[in-house]
Amino acid sequence: MEFNPGVNIFPRKFDITGSAIVTNCVDLTMANPHVLSGTLTLAGTGNAACAPTTLGGSADVTVNITWLLSDGSTDTSTVALHVQATAIPPTVVVQGVVTADRFAGDTALASLLAGQANLLDCLTDEGVTQASGTVTALLYSIP
């Protein structure tokens, strides 16, 4: 993910963009064709400062996921997410709803395991401009 401007010790608004490969998919919908993997892009805005200088921050993000299906075709879902981060304890809560296509109406939940950022970047005007890590996500509906 990229932050523009970067996140530093002073709370400020930023744009967030990114992309990822979606792997290890388990499709329990019993749909045919079923989901094998995918790619995603994301874009949104947020307001935060580097922890532990703040109690956290938040962002609203739109994620577009292009699913590769078992018959070789693709399908695209759009997910509206709200991200809430707290410094103490260090927690990132991601939740939202699928707003379009295959899983429309499903709830989206995710947990983030972010890679280490150079905390010294928090002390610069430019701030932390990139972050990467592992995301575990779940799309589900309750009948």
Side-chain angles (χ1 to χ4, degrees), residues 61-100:
V61 179
T62 298
V63 178
N64 292 301
I65 307 169
T66 300
W67 303 107
L68 174 61
L69 305 178
S70 59
D71 67 357
S73 65
T74 59
D75 200 359
T76 301
S77 295
T78 301
V79 186
L81 292 177
H82 180 73
V83 181
Q84 185 69 47
T86 59
I88 303 170
T91 307
V92 178
V93 176
V94 181
Q95 64 185 82
V97 64
V98 180
T99 59

Side-chain angles (χ1 to χ4, degrees), residues 28-120:
L28 301 177
T29 64
M30 307 301 248
N32 191 14
H34 58 274
V35 171
L36 297 176
S37 63
T39 59
L40 68 80
T41 58
L42 62 90
T45 58
N47 190 341
C50 288
T53 62
T54 182
L55 294 179
S58 64
D60 290 302
V61 179
T62 298
V63 178
N64 292 301
I65 307 169
T66 300
W67 303 107
L68 174 61
L69 305 178
S70 59
D71 67 357
S73 65
T74 59
D75 200 359
T76 301
S77 295
T78 301
V79 186
L81 292 177
H82 180 73
V83 181
Q84 185 69 47
T86 59
I88 303 170
T91 307
V92 178
V93 176
V94 181
Q95 64 185 82
V97 64
V98 180
T99 59
D101 217 20
R102 183 179 190 88
F103 300 106
D106 283 6
T107 298
L109 297 175
S111 65
L112 305 177
L113 180 58
Q116 291 293 324
N118 183 353
L119 294 180
L120 292 178

Side-chain angles (χ1 to χ4, degrees), residues 1 3 90-92 111-117 128 130-136:
M1 292 182 289
F3 308 99
T91 307
V92 178
S111 65
L112 305 177
L113 180 58
Q116 291 293 324
V128 176
Q130 293 185 343
S132 63
T134 301
V135 176
T136 301

